[in-house]
């Protein structure tokens, strides 16, 4: 297992479109070993998710996991999830404002509009089909990670640049209110 370097905003690889994998490629030692590296790198950097493209591998894999995360104390927990060749379909019109950050965008957060309900279709790391409905804050995390595989950063989706802030400013001025909004969403939709 190797910790990988994380590409930072401005690096052209973050704007590439990730290549889909075949089941044979996914089953290979190289890709299974890469998934171990991706998860270890995400955990080491205290990310809620990490896409392969962020560690200079433009293949359609991302990892998501939310435990007791000091970067995101208000986020509902998500067990370790590996998405391979994921496709998101937005369900319904409802949206919510999500304060996002990114391991590829150091020390900046901003408010992004996300779909409240999505359908995710993907494979897990063993090539089994995933077809689930994901809601709320967790749906926001899924949308952020799958965006990376299409060369999109959360910065591209910030509609009001006045919401951009450092992590320190977020904690001082916005976290309390946002955490309250998160609690309300989790109470209402369950995640
Ligand atoms: Zn990100």
């Amino acid at each position: 297992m190797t910790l990988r370097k994380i590409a930072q905003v401005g690096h052209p690889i973050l704007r590439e479109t990730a290549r889909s994998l075949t089941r044979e490629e996914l089953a290979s030692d190289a890709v299974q070993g890469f998934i171990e590296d991706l998860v270890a790198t995400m955990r080491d950097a205290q990310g809620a998710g990490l896409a392969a493209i962020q560690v200079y591998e433009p293949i359609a894999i991302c990892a998501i996991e939310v435990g007791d995360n000091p970067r995101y104390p208000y986020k509902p927990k998500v067990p370790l999830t590996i998405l391979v060749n994921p496709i998101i379909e937005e369900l319904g019109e409802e949206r919510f404002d999500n304060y996002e950050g990114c391991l590829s965008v150091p020390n900046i957060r901003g408010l992004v509009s996300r779909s409240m309900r999505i359908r995710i279709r993907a494979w897990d790391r063993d090539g089994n089909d995933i077809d689930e409905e994901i809601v709320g804050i967790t749906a926001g995390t899924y949308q952020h990670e799958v965006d990376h595989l299409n060369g999109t950063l959360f910065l591209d989706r910030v509609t009001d640049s006045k919401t951009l802030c450092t992590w320190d400013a977020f904690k001082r001025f916005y976290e309390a209110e946002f955490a309250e909004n998160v609690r309300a969403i989790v109470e209402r939709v369950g995640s």
Side-chain angles (χ1 to χ4, degrees):
M1 187 274 291
T2 313
L3 293 178
R4 304 284 185 122
K5 259 183 76 177
I6 299 175
Q8 301 292 284
V9 60
H11 196 292
I13 197 158
L14 293 171
R15 299 313 192 167
E16 289 184 21
T17 300
R19 177 176 69 77
S20 298
L21 293 175
T22 64
R23 278 201 165 86
E24 290 67 35
E25 286 176 296
L26 176 60
S28 69
D29 289 347
V31 172
Q32 290 295 317
F34 170 75
I35 291 171
E36 295 299 321
D37 291 356
L38 185 70
V39 171
T41 305
M42 171 180 71
R43 288 174 172 165
D44 182 69
Q46 297 181 326
L50 189 63
I53 210 162
Q54 290 179 272
V55 294
Y56 302 88
E57 292 286 348
I59 55 177
I61 299 181
C62 53
I64 293 169
E65 183 181 48
V66 183
D68 287 317
N69 190 326
R71 273 166 62 94
Y72 301 102
Y74 47 81
K75 265 190 196 263
K77 307 259 185 295
V78 182
L80 178 63
T81 303
I82 306 295
L83 301 174
V84 180
N85 300 341
I87 293 172
I88 282 179
E89 180 189 341
E90 296 186 359
L91 301 176
E93 301 293 311
E94 191 182 356
R95 306 188 70 80
F96 70 100
D97 287 331
N98 199 27
Y99 254 108
E100 299 192 8
C102 180
L103 295 174
S104 293
V105 183
N107 198 25
I108 293 287
R109 311 200 74 179
L111 208 51
V112 179
S113 171
R114 293 294 187 187
S115 183
M116 183 69 90
R117 294 175 187 277
I118 61 165
R119 178 181 180 186
I120 180 84
R121 274 173 285 186
W123 295 335
D124 69 15
R125 67 180 294 171
D126 300 316
N128 301 310
D129 286 322
I130 295 171
D131 184 349
E132 289 173 23
E133 190 176 327
I134 307 287
V135 298
I137 305 302
T138 304
T141 304
Y142 274 60
Q143 288 165 82
H144 177 114
E145 295 311 323
V146 174
D147 267 355
H148 275 300
L149 302 178
N150 296 308
T152 297
L153 297 175
F154 83 90
L155 295 171
D156 308 328
R157 298 198 186 274
V158 170
T159 48
D160 181 356
S161 57
K162 293 193 182 76
T163 66
L164 291 170
C165 59
T166 64
W167 284 70
D168 181 55
F170 176 75
K171 282 218 165 299
R172 287 177 66 192
F173 302 117
Y174 307 112
E175 184 175 279
E177 186 188 346
F178 181 62
E180 198 50 53
N181 293 345
V182 168
R183 271 189 289 277
I185 289 171
V186 172
E187 201 163 288
R188 187 161 64 81
V189 302
S191 172

